Amino acid sequence: MSTQSNSQQERVDVPTNVSDHSTPSTDAAPVSTQDPSDPPSSIQMQIPPTSAVSVVIEAPDVDQQPVPPLLQTSTTAPPDEVRAGDIIGGYTLATIMGRGSSGEVWKAKLNGTNQFAAIKILNPKPHAQSAKSCLIATHMIKDLAQQALQYLCLPEDMSKFKGRECIVSRLYAMDLACLIETDRLFPLPINHSNAMIWQLLKGLCWITHGDIKPGNILLKDSSTVSTRHLGPDGFFRSRSSANFNISSIHQILTNSRVQEILKSPEIVICDIDEARLPRQETYHPAGTPSYRAPEMVECLYWNQKADVFAAGCVAYELLTRRLLFPEQRLTSGPMPYHHHPIEISSPAAKWARVSNPDALDFIKKATNRNAAKRPNSNVLLKHKFFGQLVHLPTN
């Protein structure tokens, strides 16, 4: 009995007339061995041909073995997966811009035009009601607080795609998270930092957002200009700020390259689909770990003052390019692989990074860990950190 195969084979000659307990014949031919230089393709034992039949045992071919079910990977995409080229209403998805706990944001092109929009595709439950809440908040703001429109990025349309709610809004240049990562634009001019924080507080006078962070604050325009200013030595040098302080003289004199500044520090607050409506119950978890107020961390009642706490964290980050409370990420569960290492600093070391005393006082007040003693946005808009802007009405 013989079977042919391309796989490795082992050949064994089995005697037919010898019992299990019999003694082998002394006349049997010696066992043949292969030359050591030959490849070990088979093993062969020779016994007298008159008393043997030939049996071939095939070695398994590993390459042809089926893949265990648990190791099999599907080549077909899930039916509800969103991909570039999908059409939502009159828009075609182009590239994904970011993902978060509530959904993912795509850049989408309006079909037949060169115009683009941002489409947030909300995750299924428990965020199924976010689009409805966002629509209610939008109507309330447009009807009752039109002066807040310049500070908020409100949705322009709603849709549904593969069973998921979609929010269509205007596409802006970049968020503050990207700005903070752009080396050539830092340090920001102090009047730019002030303007961004002031606008943030103005917007928070009208809503309770619940997730203020650099990624949810958008620049209206990311274009830049290169500037040169007259230095104390009478020569024009590169500077990123029209403001001057003595401690930066040496840096100004030794820096000969042209730096860039933003043409405009105008911002808007986006991602209001989870903003709390009047009389709406507190939900948990809320916010992003590094920007969560203590009352959020402890799952207690929180209100607009939680947004003030987060605004203070954003102000610190704009001035230092570091997180104020990175250690809060340790309590948020497993972290994504792209997160930066956590830097643990003492309170004194954190505050030493803010050289402007007015800015430091503002941040300390905004991030007071006692919510009862933390000022609201209307009060902080009167802080001397904002200079001449304190004379403007708060609402």
Side-chain angles (χ1 to χ4, degrees), residues 101 209-213 216 270-271 283 286-288 291 296 307 310:
S101 59
H209 188 280
D211 192 18
I212 291 297
K213 58 182 177 181
N216 284 338
C270 70
D271 209 24
Y283 61 86
T288 299
Y291 308 89
M296 281 182 167
D307 288 339

Side-chain angles (χ1 to χ4, degrees), residues 249-264:
I249 290 179
H250 178 71
Q251 179 182 3
I252 295 171
L253 295 178
T254 57
N255 182 15
S256 59
R257 69 184 180 87
V258 175
Q259 295 184 353
E260 298 176 64
I261 64 172
L262 292 169
K263 283 186 177 180
S264 171

Side-chain angles (χ1 to χ4, degrees), residues 33-92:
T33 58
Q34 291 181 310
D35 188 276
S37 62
D38 293 337
S41 59
S42 65
I43 302 174
Q44 185 176 20
M45 295 179 58
Q46 293 184 356
I47 302 178
T50 57
S51 59
V53 294
S54 177
V55 178
V56 177
I57 303 176
E58 293 186 1
D61 189 344
V62 177
D63 294 337
Q64 296 181 1
Q65 296 302 305
V67 179
L70 290 178
L71 300 181
Q72 294 179 0
T73 56
S74 175
T75 58
T76 59
D80 59 344
E81 181 180 353
V82 180
R83 291 166 289 185
D86 286 342
I87 298 177
I88 299 179
Y91 295 89
T92 300

Side-chain angles (χ1 to χ4, degrees), residues 15 25 50 57 100 106 137 150 158 162 181 188 190-191 237 247 250-251 273 307 362 366 392:
S25 170
T50 57
I57 303 176
W106 285 77
Q150 60 181 312
M158 301 283 179
K162 295 184 177 180
E181 295 293 329
L188 291 176
I190 189 63
N191 59 328
R237 301 287 181 178
S247 63
H250 178 71
Q251 179 182 3
D273 50 279
D307 288 339
F362 168 84
L392 298 176

Side-chain angles (χ1 to χ4, degrees), residues 19-240:
S19 65
D20 292 342
H21 302 284
S22 61
T23 303
S25 170
T26 56
D27 297 333
V31 176
S32 63
T33 58
Q34 291 181 310
D35 188 276
S37 62
D38 293 337
S41 59
S42 65
I43 302 174
Q44 185 176 20
M45 295 179 58
Q46 293 184 356
I47 302 178
T50 57
S51 59
V53 294
S54 177
V55 178
V56 177
I57 303 176
E58 293 186 1
D61 189 344
V62 177
D63 294 337
Q64 296 181 1
Q65 296 302 305
V67 179
L70 290 178
L71 300 181
Q72 294 179 0
T73 56
S74 175
T75 58
T76 59
D80 59 344
E81 181 180 353
V82 180
R83 291 166 289 185
D86 286 342
I87 298 177
I88 299 179
Y91 295 89
T92 300
L93 299 184
T95 55
I96 189 167
M97 300 170 61
R99 288 187 176 92
S101 59
S102 59
E104 54 192 50
V105 181
W106 285 77
K107 180 180 179 180
K109 184 178 181 181
L110 180 61
N111 296 333
T113 71
N114 291 324
Q115 299 177 1
F116 289 85
I119 298 183
K120 182 173 183 179
I121 304 173
L122 301 176
N123 290 330
K125 297 178 180 179
H127 298 281
Q129 299 301 318
S130 292
K132 181 179 180 180
S133 299
C134 185
L135 189 60
I136 295 173
T138 299
H139 285 306
M140 292 179 63
I141 293 170
K142 288 182 177 180
D143 293 341
L144 305 176
Q146 292 191 2
Q147 57 270 51
L149 296 178
Q150 60 181 312
Y151 308 115
L152 304 175
C153 176
L154 299 179
E156 298 180 353
D157 196 5
M158 301 283 179
S159 185
K160 201 163 187 177
F161 180 68
K162 295 184 177 180
R164 299 168 65 177
E165 299 286 346
C166 303
I167 301 174
V168 183
S169 58
R170 181 177 175 181
L171 181 66
Y172 285 95
M174 70 164 69
D175 57 42
L176 292 196
C178 293
L179 173 67
I180 292 170
E181 295 293 329
T182 307
D183 293 335
R184 71 179 190 277
L185 296 177
F186 275 82
L188 291 176
I190 189 63
N191 59 328
H192 280 198
S193 301
N194 287 23
M196 292 177 187
I197 301 166
W198 184 85
Q199 293 171 88
L200 175 58
L201 291 178
K202 288 288 286 186
L204 294 178
C205 288
W206 303 101
I207 63 170
T208 301
H209 188 280
D211 192 18
I212 291 297
K213 58 182 177 181
N216 284 338
I217 304 170
L218 307 177
L219 281 172
K220 288 187 176 182
D221 184 3
S222 63
S223 57
T224 62
V225 293
S226 299
T227 61
R228 292 169 64 86
H229 297 272
L230 183 64
D233 61 345
F235 291 93
F236 278 89
R237 301 287 181 178
S238 303
R239 295 183 61 182
S240 60

Side-chain angles (χ1 to χ4, degrees), residues 305 308-312 361-368 374-375 380:
K305 287 188 176 182
V308 170
F309 183 94
D361 185 72
F362 168 84
I363 295 171
K364 284 184 174 181
K365 282 183 168 60
T367 58
N368 191 314
R374 190 185 311 143
L380 284 175

